[in-house]
């Protein structure tokens, strides 16, 4: 409401990684790559997460649009703070998000 942003929201300000918004480290399990799973398991997973993929895609588009609007209103670059390569790498299996369809990001 007062047109100010916390310094943690401005990626032009140098801050420690642990101070970044959304920073989290998971210690309870080992991260696995989808590339390591057999094709039949991936196909089964895809069948179970169809709706999840749609919801995530819409939520990400909405978030990016809102971040862009805040950028326009505040003059603070937010979208350049996103590690786009990492986002693509982690979500490239959602083809409708990136390349298929009129609302794709690319």
């Amino acid at each position: 409401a007062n047109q100010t942003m916390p310094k943690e929201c401005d990626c032009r300000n140098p801050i420690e990684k642990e101070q970044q918004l959304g920073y989290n480290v998971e210690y309870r399990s080992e991260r696995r790559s989808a590339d390591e799973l057999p094709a039949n398991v991936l196909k089964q997973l895809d069948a179970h997460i169809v709706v999840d993929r749609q919801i995530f895609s819409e939520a990400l588009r909405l978030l990016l649009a809102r971040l862009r609007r805040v950028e326009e209103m505040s003059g603070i670059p937010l979208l350049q703070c996103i590690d786009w390569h990492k986002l693509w790498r982690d979500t490239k299996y959602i083809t409708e998000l990136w390349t298929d369809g009129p609302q794709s990001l690319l």
Side-chain angles (χ1 to χ4, degrees):
N2 64 5
Q3 301 291 332
T4 63
M5 300 274 286
K7 67 177 183 174
E8 293 86 2
C9 294
D10 189 343
C11 63
R12 297 173 296 183
N13 290 327
I15 59 172
E16 298 295 322
K17 184 172 186 163
E18 293 80 13
Q19 293 176 305
Q20 292 177 358
L21 294 175
Y23 176 79
N24 182 43
V25 176
E26 177 60 59
Y27 294 104
R28 295 177 292 179
S29 63
E30 180 181 328
R31 184 178 174 109
R32 292 179 172 76
S33 170
D35 297 333
E36 298 171 1
L37 297 173
N40 65 324
V41 172
L42 288 173
K43 190 172 184 176
Q44 290 173 358
L45 287 171
D46 283 344
H48 287 290
I49 63 168
V50 169
V51 173
D52 297 331
R53 288 167 60 146
Q54 293 170 344
I55 292 170
F56 176 81
S57 296
E58 289 301 315
L60 182 59
R61 286 186 194 98
L62 180 62
L63 172 66
L64 294 174
R66 288 181 176 176
L67 287 173
R68 180 69 186 123
R69 180 71 178 129
V70 171
E71 279 185 335
E72 292 169 354
M73 292 172 57
S74 69
I76 296 174
L78 301 173
L79 293 173
Q80 77 180 31
C81 303
I82 296 172
D83 184 340
W84 291 100
H85 179 73
K86 181 180 184 314
L87 178 62
W88 174 80
R89 186 187 66 226
D90 292 346
T91 60
K92 66 184 175 186
Y93 65 94
I94 307 175
T95 55
E96 64 272 14
L97 177 63
W98 293 103
T99 57
D100 292 344
Q103 294 185 9
S104 64
L105 297 176
L106 296 179

